[in-house]
Amino acid sequence: MTAPDRADSATRLRPRRSCLAVPGSNPRFLEKAQGLAADQVFLDLEDACAPLAKEDARHTIVKALNEGDWTGKTRVVRVNDWTTHWTYRDVITVVEGAGPNLDCIMLPKVQDAQQVIALDLLLTQIEKTMGFEVGRIGIEAQIENAKGLVNVDEIAGASSRLETIVFGPADFMASINMKSLVVGEQPPGYPADAYHYILMRILMAARTHDLQAIDGPYLQIRNVDGFREVAGRAAALGYDGKWVLHPGQVEAANEVFSPSQEDYDHAELILDAYDYCTSAEGGMKGSAMLGDEMIDEASRKMALVVAGKGRAAGMTRTSTFQPPEA
């Protein structure tokens, strides 16, 4: 049983360049996060909360969601995974208490599609009980071990609530016995990118189901140059954003996962030029020249991606298309 399709599929594509992790048990951090420029903030009940603090943290999160100013941010709560005894109460307390002020639930350590379906069912029951809009609250599925990666295709298609697939590198590195203690950095002794297959596998599953793909954290929080390098690799592959653990990483993530001004302007020019050349006024042509570059339908599709990221980032054009003289 899954939630009905949501009419507004644009929620799946909301900006997530920077996804800020905030301990749900720390009211001071929860307040500070509201003033940062992160696209998304997720209030954490899992790894950032000690076991004895989890119960109180649920109520702290509900209060922060209901009373805080989260304008412009995607509001997410990461609950504990289904192998623990905390999950169901995390979901019930948070969603019943702050459902109208919550955008998504993040489920960690997802290993198969049934775990996503179970969360979908629980959310549906709560929404119906509370009189909330059924299906509005999304799900973010975090892949953190080998089994989850092997099953990522089925996971990505498990629910219409799904918005993102998230890579969790630390637990994943442990699950495959990777020879490294530095999360996000390459393991010693391997001459290539040890994360390439993992990132591409997640990306393919996400794109197959029109979902976003989000890279996990970089734990050396004061090494902004290192963060930029790792984030740049994910952005080059096509990832939509990355977790940030410190305010100093927010600006870097927003920059890395936004197109450059030059690329954004060029994408918008391609879209304008293609619209013109395919119109009656432009001669109803399937391709045309934009300067020294030939553009066609494939060019338009590529430009839509870059232009969409620029618009979502609030970028403004600095160039204008001029139709060629007859």
Side-chain angles (χ1 to χ4, degrees), residues 149-207:
L149 188 67
V150 168
N151 293 327
V152 69
D153 288 322
E154 291 80 8
I155 290 168
S159 168
S160 61
R161 292 182 187 267
L162 271 167
E163 297 188 14
T164 70
I165 304 296
V166 182
F167 176 42
D171 282 279
F172 196 98
M173 291 163 69
S175 85
I176 63 172
N177 296 335
M178 185 177 282
K179 185 183 175 183
S180 178
L181 289 173
V182 184
V183 176
E185 290 286 2
Q186 298 298 320
Y190 188 70
D193 185 350
Y195 302 101
H196 180 79
Y197 169 75
I198 303 166
L199 291 174
M200 286 299 291
R201 190 73 187 80
I202 289 172
L203 182 64
M204 293 304 102
R207 294 297 188 252

Side-chain angles (χ1 to χ4, degrees), residues 25-55:
S25 57
N26 192 315
R28 182 172 66 87
F29 284 4
L30 291 171
E31 182 177 358
K32 183 176 181 179
Q34 297 169 41
L36 298 177
D39 287 342
Q40 171 174 301
V41 176
F42 74 87
L43 317 183
D44 195 14
L45 283 168
E46 200 211 12
D47 289 348
C49 278
L52 293 178
K54 291 182 188 292
E55 183 174 352

Side-chain angles (χ1 to χ4, degrees), residues 235-246:
L237 293 177
Y239 270 63
D240 299 286
K242 185 173 178 63
W243 278 15
V244 293
L245 304 180
H246 186 271

Side-chain angles (χ1 to χ4, degrees), residues 60 135 142:
T60 301
Q142 192 174 10

Side-chain angles (χ1 to χ4, degrees), residues 225-237:
D225 289 339
F227 175 88
R228 285 181 179 276
E229 181 180 349
V230 173
R233 290 200 293 265
L237 293 177

